[in-house]
Amino acid sequence: MNNTVSFFSGENIPLEMHKVRMVQKLNLISVDERLEAIQEAGNNTFLLKNKDVFLDMLTDSGVNAMSDKQYAAMMVADDSYAGSETFYRLEEALKEVFGTKFFLPAHQGRACENILAQAFVKEDSTAIMNFHFTTTKAHITRLGGSVEEILKDEGLNIDSDCPFKGNIDMDKLKKLHCELGNEKISFVRVEAGTNLIGGQPVSLSNMKEVTDFCREKGLLSILDASLLADNLYFIKTKDESCKDKTLKEITSEIGQMFDIIYFSARKLGCARGGGIVTNNQNHFDSLKTLVPLFEGFLTYGGMSIREMEALAVGLIETLDIDVISQTPLFVNALCEELMKKNVPVVTPAGGLGCHIDASRFVDHIPQEEYPAGALAAAIYIASGVRGMERGTMSEQRNPDGSEQLASMELVRLALPKRVFTLSQVKFVADRVSWLFENRHLIGGLEFTEEPETLRFFLGKLKAKTDWQEKLCEKFKKDMPSGL
C-alpha cells in the first residue's frame, strides 16, 4: 500500500491530510538570544522556556494536534468522581480498538509503568524487552530489578533497510529464558515502536512469535503501545501479510496476543492520560487496587474527564490511515532532506521523529562528553529548534559511578501529528545542514548539576570550551540577520 499522493512534478513530498483552523503564533529569537537561553538552561533542552523556542521538536508527548471531533467531545464530559459516563465511553473505545475486556486508567504512561513495576518486579528479577525506555528502566531498577535487551542485532545498525528494526531476537529470548528460568523473569515487554533506537517498528509476526513463546513457557507478556499509531502504519504499509487487513483487524489481533497492554495517551490517541488494558481477570484484580493508591479512583485514574472524552475519539481516529500516516510521512520527508546534504540519520526513517546520528555528526566528541547533548544544544543555537538528546546523557550511571555509554548517540527531532508544515520541515533541514557544514566548531559538555535518577530531565551542563560563542559568531557571519 502506498499512502503518499503522487505529484505530477515528480516530487516525493508528504501531503497534509487536514486543514488548519486554529493557529498559535511562533517566536524566532536571534542567535545571540538563543545562545543566552541555552546556557541559562544548562545546555539541557528540557529546561528551555518555550517562549524562547521556535519549533518545539522535543517530543510528541501531549503535543499532538487534536481533531475538531476531539475538541467537540470534550464539551459533553461527565465530571462525576465515580461511575462517570465519560469513563465508560473511553472503555468502549478501547474495546473497539483492542477487543479487551478490562481497562484501568492512569494519568500517563509512566504511571502505568509504575503500577506494573509495583505488581510484577521483585528484587533481583529481570525484565526482558526489545529495548529499554528511560522511565521504564528507572521504575524497574528502583525496585531492585534489572533489564535485559534482546533486540535483533540489525536494530542497532544506524544505516539499514530492515523494515522492522524493533523486533525481538527469538534466539536471544530462548537463550535468556534457559539461563534465568521463569522464577527470575518478571515479564517480557515489547515496545512498539522502539523509541530509543529511532522510533523503529515491530512486525506483527514478531509480536506473535514472542507472545506464543511466553504463553507456552508461562511468562507474562506486556506491550507498550504508546507509539503504536506509527507502528500500525508501518505494519500496514511494509508487511505484505497485513496489506489486506484493516487497521482494526490488526489492533484486535494485537489485543488478543498480549497479557497486558499499556499506553501513554499523550502519544496514542493524541490527548493526555494513559491506561492499562487486559483480558485477564486475575491481572485486572491485582492491578486495580494500585490505581486508587497511586492515581485516582477507578473511573478517572488521575485523568481530566475532558481529556478522557478527547482520548475516546482519538483512539477511534487511530484506525484511520490518513491520521496515523502523518508523522511517518513527515519524518521521512525530513530525513530525506537531511540525507541530500549528507547529514547522518537513522535509516530507514521510523516513527516519532527524525533521529540524527550524533556519533557521526560530531565524531570528534568522545561519548563521555555527551555528543548528542552537545549536538542538541548546537541545533538550538543554529535554529531555535528544540530537539531531544537520546544518548549517554539519557542513561543512568553504573553503580560504581562510571558512565553507562549508550548504544546510540542520537538527537531526536520529533514531529508531532498535524503540527508542523512542510516549509517548517525544510527550515529545520536547512539549519541542520548549515550546522553539519560547521560541525568542527561543536565541542563537548560536562555536568554541573547531575541528579541521580533521570538526569536528562533536570541535569545542567556547561560547554567545556568557548565553542558555543564561536558557533554563534560563525552563524552571524553566514546569516547576517541573526535569525
Side-chain angles (χ1 to χ4, degrees), residues 424-453:
Q424 290 167 336
V425 165
K426 286 181 175 290
F427 171 84
V428 175
D430 180 84
R431 291 300 187 262
V432 173
S433 299
W434 175 87
L435 188 61
F436 186 63
E437 292 295 315
N438 293 277
R439 60 192 181 278
H440 63 282
L441 294 175
I442 305 172
L445 301 174
E446 60 184 352
F447 271 102
T448 58
E449 297 178 25
E450 185 178 355
E452 186 175 342
T453 303

Side-chain angles (χ1 to χ4, degrees), residues 10-24:
E11 287 186 281
N12 181 24
I13 58 175
L15 179 67
E16 290 89 346
M17 299 302 292
H18 54 269
K19 61 182 179 181
V20 177
R21 300 182 65 190
M22 182 183 292
V23 296
Q24 185 175 30

Side-chain angles (χ1 to χ4, degrees), residues 150 169-179 213:
I150 53 171
D169 188 313
M170 289 304 300
D171 290 335
K172 293 179 183 178
L173 175 57
K174 292 170 184 176
K175 182 174 184 291
L176 199 54
H177 176 255
C178 287
E179 292 173 358
F213 179 81

Side-chain angles (χ1 to χ4, degrees), residues 39-111:
Q39 290 180 340
E40 285 183 359
N43 288 288
N44 185 342
T45 55
F46 274 98
L47 302 182
L48 285 166
K49 296 177 180 177
N50 198 52
K51 70 179 179 63
D52 297 327
V53 173
F54 178 46
L55 301 177
D56 193 358
M57 295 184 165
L58 184 76
T59 181
D60 68 333
S61 182
V63 293
N64 291 296
M66 293 201 302
S67 70
D68 52 354
K69 292 180 180 179
Q70 286 182 283
Y71 279 110
M74 295 173 80
M75 296 298 103
V76 298
D78 174 6
D79 60 359
S80 301
Y81 183 90
S84 166
E85 285 302 309
T86 290
F87 169 82
Y88 294 111
R89 283 191 282 269
L90 176 53
E91 185 180 52
E92 282 302 312
L94 284 159
K95 287 179 181 178
E96 176 77 8
V97 174
F98 292 115
T100 45
K101 297 177 184 176
F102 306 112
F103 166 50
L104 295 168
H107 79 273
Q108 66 181 87
R110 74 192 56 167

Side-chain angles (χ1 to χ4, degrees), residues 104-105 111 114-120 284-296 298:
L104 295 168
N114 175 50
I115 289 169
L116 294 170
Q118 293 285 344
F120 300 118
F284 174 74
D285 290 340
S286 65
L287 295 172
K288 73 179 181 182
T289 59
L290 298 174
V291 174
L293 181 63
F294 291 112
E295 296 299 299
L298 289 173

Side-chain angles (χ1 to χ4, degrees), residues 190-224:
V190 175
E191 184 183 9
T194 317
N195 193 320
L196 295 185
I197 64 167
Q200 296 296 315
V202 180
S203 69
L204 190 67
S205 59
N206 188 248
M207 293 183 199
K208 188 174 189 311
E209 281 186 293
V210 171
T211 53
D212 283 350
F213 179 81
C214 289
R215 195 167 290 113
E216 176 191 341
K217 301 299 183 182
L219 299 173
L220 178 65
S221 63
I222 295 178
L223 175 70
D224 179 350

Side-chain angles (χ1 to χ4, degrees), residues 187-466:
F187 50 77
V188 177
R189 168 185 171 271
V190 175
E191 184 183 9
T194 317
N195 193 320
L196 295 185
I197 64 167
Q200 296 296 315
V202 180
S203 69
L204 190 67
S205 59
N206 188 248
M207 293 183 199
K208 188 174 189 311
E209 281 186 293
V210 171
T211 53
D212 283 350
F213 179 81
C214 289
R215 195 167 290 113
E216 176 191 341
K217 301 299 183 182
L219 299 173
L220 178 65
S221 63
I222 295 178
L223 175 70
D224 179 350
S226 301
L227 294 174
L228 184 62
D230 295 345
N231 204 113
L232 278 176
Y233 174 80
F234 292 119
I235 288 174
K236 177 68 176 170
T237 57
K238 293 187 176 184
D239 189 335
E240 288 293 333
S241 67
C242 295
K243 289 191 175 182
D244 293 329
K245 293 181 179 179
T246 66
L247 291 173
K248 183 180 177 182
E249 286 171 339
I250 296 170
T251 57
S252 295
E253 283 189 44
I254 292 171
Q256 303 313 303
M257 287 180 190
F258 288 89
D259 295 319
I260 294 172
I261 297 173
Y262 75 93
F263 62 94
S264 167
R266 297 176 69 88
K267 298 176 182 290
L268 184 67
C270 298
R272 290 173 181 82
I276 300 169
V277 296
T278 182
N279 279 316
N280 187 293
Q281 180 79 57
N282 292 332
H283 293 325
F284 174 74
D285 290 340
S286 65
L287 295 172
K288 73 179 181 182
T289 59
L290 298 174
V291 174
L293 181 63
F294 291 112
E295 296 299 299
F297 191 66
L298 289 173
T299 53
Y300 74 95
M303 275 192 275
S304 152
I305 44 96
R306 288 172 178 80
E307 295 288 355
M308 292 169 72
E309 290 284 2
L311 174 56
V313 173
L315 286 166
I316 300 303
E317 290 179 341
T318 301
L319 302 179
D320 182 341
I321 192 71
D322 287 335
V323 172
I324 66 171
S325 68
Q326 292 299 279
T327 290
L329 289 176
F330 276 78
V331 169
N332 185 67
L334 179 51
C335 287
E336 288 193 348
E337 287 291 321
L338 291 174
M339 287 189 289
K340 290 175 187 176
K341 301 295 185 179
N342 297 315
V343 176
V345 298
V346 173
T347 59
L352 180 57
C354 170
H355 292 74
I356 301 172
D357 180 15
S359 64
R360 285 185 292 169
F361 197 115
V362 284
D363 57 5
H364 55 283
I365 301 177
Q367 277 194 278
E368 292 82 2
E369 295 181 11
Y370 314 111
L375 180 54
I379 289 172
Y380 173 75
I381 293 170
S383 64
V385 174
R386 170 160 61 172
M388 185 189 293
E389 187 272 358
R390 300 276 72 173
T392 296
M393 241 179 84
S394 293
E395 297 289 345
Q396 297 176 186
R397 286 188 182 269
N398 295 315
D400 64 0
S402 62
E403 282 288 3
Q404 175 65 52
L405 300 179
S407 303
M408 291 180 166
E409 291 286 343
L410 305 178
V411 174
R412 185 182 75 199
L413 300 176
L415 283 113
K417 288 179 180 59
R418 303 172 291 206
V419 171
F420 297 119
T421 65
L422 189 59
S423 66
Q424 290 167 336
V425 165
K426 286 181 175 290
F427 171 84
V428 175
D430 180 84
R431 291 300 187 262
V432 173
S433 299
W434 175 87
L435 188 61
F436 186 63
E437 292 295 315
N438 293 277
R439 60 192 181 278
H440 63 282
L441 294 175
I442 305 172
L445 301 174
E446 60 184 352
F447 271 102
T448 58
E449 297 178 25
E450 185 178 355
E452 186 175 342
T453 303
L454 299 176
R455 60 184 181 173
F456 69 93
F457 276 139
L458 298 174
K460 291 189 173 183
L461 305 94
K462 67 177 182 180
K464 291 178 71 69
T465 66
D466 63 348

